[in-house]
Amino acid sequence: MGSSLPWENLETPLESQEAGLGQGSIIPTVCEMCFWKCGVHARVHDGKVVALTGNPDHPLSRGRLCPRGVGGIGSLYDPDRLSEPLIRVGERGSQEFRVATWEEALDRTAEGLRKVADQYGPESLALFYHGAGGSFFKTLFKGMGTANIAAPSYAQCRGPRDVGFELTFGEGAGSPEIADVPNARVMALIGTHLGENMHNTSVQDFSAALGKGMRLITVDPRYSVAAGKSKYWLPIKPGTDIALLLGWANVIIREGWYDAAYIEKNAVGFDKFRAEVAKYTPEAVYIETGIKPEQLIATARELAQAAPHSLVHPGRRVTWYGDDTQRCRAVALVNGLLGNWGQPGGFYMSSSIPLKQAENQPPVPEHQAASDRPAGSYPYAGSVLANGLREATLTGDPNELKAWMVYGTNLPMVLPDPRKTLAAIQKLDFMVAIDILPMEITGWADVVLPECTYLERHDDLIAPWYREPYVALRQPVVEPMGNSKPGWWMAKELGKRLGLEQHFPWETANDMIGDRLNASGFSAAQQANLYKKGVILKQADPMYLPAGAPLDLATPSGKIEFWSQQLADTGFDPVPVYRRPEQPGPGTFRLLTGRSPVHTFGRTANNSRLLDQYPENEVWLNRATAVDMGLRSGDRVMMKNQDGAETGPVKVKATERIRGDCVYMVHGFGHKDPRMRRAHNNGGDDNALTTRYKVDPIMGATGYSVNFVSLEKVEV
Ligand SMILES: Nc1nc2c(c(=O)[nH]1)N[C@H]1C(S)=C(S)[C@@H](COP(=O)(O)OP(=O)(O)OC[C@H]3O[C@@H](n4cnc5c(=O)[nH]c(N)nc54)[C@H](O)[C@@H]3O)O[C@H]1N2
Ligand SMILES: Nc1nc2c(c(=O)[nH]1)N[C@H]1C(S)=C(S)[C@@H](COP(=O)(O)OP(=O)(O)OC[C@H]3O[C@@H](n4cnc5c(=O)[nH]c(N)nc54)[C@H](O)[C@@H]3O)O[C@H]1N2
Ligand code: SF4
Ligand SMILES: [Mo]
């Protein structure tokens, strides 16, 4: 394929993080090994990054990084990185490319997008993105007049949670989450595997709270790291959490363990809710969930006795069974009963520093709604559905999509049913992928644009809603390697070619940032400090409501909606209803997925430093079941699902730490592109086995945990 790799023989410049700690000078920037965006101190010596540590001034890192943040050096110096623009020469998908100049690759990209927009209208364009750098391409696509802009962090991740909370409290659960974990006395986790899910600050808060004596209830079919820290582990039958949550609500109400005056003042539809949940007795719930009645009662009591300083954590990746909005609403309702909204140890009020667009930015043209769903479907979708854009590409409903730009999201391993993703790509007139590695998605593109990594570029300013509001700066700490370029530069260059240059009215990234800081009212001294410290901090607004103050929520009633008129009016259950999920047949297991603390999805699967710590994923199988099947830890199996899709060989982990009706594997392994030499054929790909998925009728998210797999031993 002829791509020249100037750093082919350059592995990580130093063997270890420790070796780099004493060296070089510190440049502050922001991590992008996941999307939490911690503040980093990069130690740079002789033009090379030798160590990454946490920025002590940054509220999300507080001086520490998670293992992936430290291991960012392995991504920067990955010898398999994309280093030159590529243009497809063979059939689409044949993975044959030639190296091109930036001039040619950008011309080709602009022409591909322009042709489609001219012929079919801007509503036939789609941008899939994930990550901070996506903002420049969003500007470009909005400028072209399309609303088809989607990230998998919505309908493949936390969308149902936010809709469930909005329907109940009028507000989503935030990112970072507004769960006040450091002050909680009791916390329940529904799946949410904190400690394996390694969002730095969440894990710091979690361990601090445990250190202060927080009692933990972990509901998980698997004995997770968090389960190991728990007073109660409830090994629930997968897919039955709604029954458990409504059972908790029933017990708390029945026993009078709630604040009736609070509910009277702050809730609507409580009597109807009480009547609906009365049937979820501990005995009835036991039959569905396998959780013993006395355990259900004991855990309900723990939560209620500590209220309002107790919570059921909202979770994050909640796309499991297709009824996820209702499960998340049930989580919100138990929290409503605990009276913890706006209270320490419950949910805090976040604040942020409002940033303004630079004054020289033109207005975005009017455009019609996104083409991600047929008219009338998914009424509560609050963002564009990535799966919906794929569906429209396949079906032409509501209109055909003919060109995709894919920035920083490896769609074949991210969207369920990868067969559909590839079929949709084959229907396109044009596709461009912007990536740092030769991931699967790039193999299907017409043009591949190599981005430099987060350590080699600026991105837009970062100012999230959080407990301490702040603005943070991502700035390059070393020069881009090879012929890779920052996204902001690509978007600007494409803007020039598409007549949209006025949307990128700056010459350099420093100008872009300076203009925005000026427009937002920051002084020269504050700006200089941002470059030096990496962050501007501001005093937080009050985080809690005065005890006893009435709630003034953004729901239609202004109160906590125990019975939702909105849902009733749109044909959905106004109170969540448990429905029994389909069960695996003999010899098959429900496939569950999650995270390794030292990897991020598939994006770190070729990172040498992280592979040193976790070299491949394994399939967790109940030990007794394994014995029955003649399997032992370390054996290798092929995994096959109900539709005949396969992945593997994968190593078996036979363990008591998982129920017998499911298996579990970490997502993001089993890559198929041979250009990633470490990731290629290493472990198994859960997404390859996710040929079936269930769409949430309320807001369109894709539930993944509805696939059943069998395991067959292979000799290797
Ligand atoms: N190290 C690391 N950390 C990460 C990420 C990463 O890639 N790497 N990704 C980040 C992102 S984007 C997200 S969204 C989060 C995801 O992290 P979480 O939101 O914590 O993940 P989930 O996938 O919801 O939860 C997985 C857990 O749910 C359990 N589970 C599976 N099915 C059920 C069920 O039916 N009921 C119950 N009660 N439990 C069940 C699994 O056994 C597993 O322990 O992690 C974030 N943190
Ligand atoms: N089967 C299955 N599917 C899932 C999940 C799961 O657990 N199982 N999890 C879901 C969740 S919670 C989420 S949030 C999504 C995550 O979805 P994604 O974030 O899209 O996941 P990745 O597979 O890591 O794809 C990241 C892509 O970005 C590239 N990349 C990394 N850094 C950069 C950069 O700086 N610039 C550019 N241009 N590209 C970069 C990587 O090389 C890779 O191709 O996936 C969802 N899909
Ligand atoms: S949680 Fe870890 S990987 Fe994510 S931004 Fe923070 S340090 Fe980086
Ligand atoms: Mo996610």
Side-chain angles (χ1 to χ4, degrees), residues 84-87 98-112 430 432 446-450 489 494 497:
E84 299 286 348
L86 301 175
I87 289 181
R98 67 176 166 83
V99 170
T101 62
W102 273 103
E103 201 63 24
E104 188 189 4
L106 290 165
D107 285 348
R108 189 67 85 85
T109 303
E111 182 194 304
F430 181 73
V432 51
D446 301 309
V447 178
V448 180
L449 303 178
W489 178 86
L494 289 170
R497 289 163 171 81

Side-chain angles (χ1 to χ4, degrees), residues 35 130 152-154 156-158 199 316-319 595 601:
F35 304 108
H130 201 187
S153 45
Y154 187 71
Q156 283 63 50
C157 177
R158 54 181 203 262
H199 282 159
R316 193 167 178 100
R317 188 182 79 92
V318 295
T319 44
R595 308 286 179 238
F601 324 116

Side-chain angles (χ1 to χ4, degrees), residues 514-536:
D515 288 352
R516 197 146 189 224
L517 289 168
N518 287 337
S520 307
F522 290 102
S523 67
Q526 282 173 311
Q527 298 191 27
N529 211 37
L530 177 63
Y531 277 84
K532 218 163 71 203
K533 292 278 183 192
V535 60
I536 302 174

Side-chain angles (χ1 to χ4, degrees), residues 67 187 189 191-199 202-204 206-207 210 214 216-234 594-598 614 620 653 655-658 664 666:
M187 177 162 78
L189 299 173
T192 314
H193 55 336
L194 293 176
E196 289 160 285
N197 156 356
M198 193 43 99
H199 282 159
S202 296
V203 175
Q204 290 187 28
F206 181 53
S207 41
L210 288 169
M214 175 178 72
L216 190 63
I217 300 160
T218 298
V219 183
D220 197 313
R222 188 181 64 98
Y223 190 79
S224 59
V225 168
K229 314 275 179 210
S230 298
K231 181 168 177 191
Y232 300 90
W233 171 43
L234 308 184
R595 308 286 179 238
S596 153
V598 305
Y614 185 90
W620 292 44
K653 176 183 171 111
T655 169
E656 286 85 17
R657 290 174 55 186
I658 189 163
Y664 171 86
V666 166

Side-chain angles (χ1 to χ4, degrees), residues 678-690:
R678 296 190 192 91
H680 181 227
N681 283 344
N682 181 32
D685 173 13
D686 64 310
N687 205 49
L689 299 173
T690 309

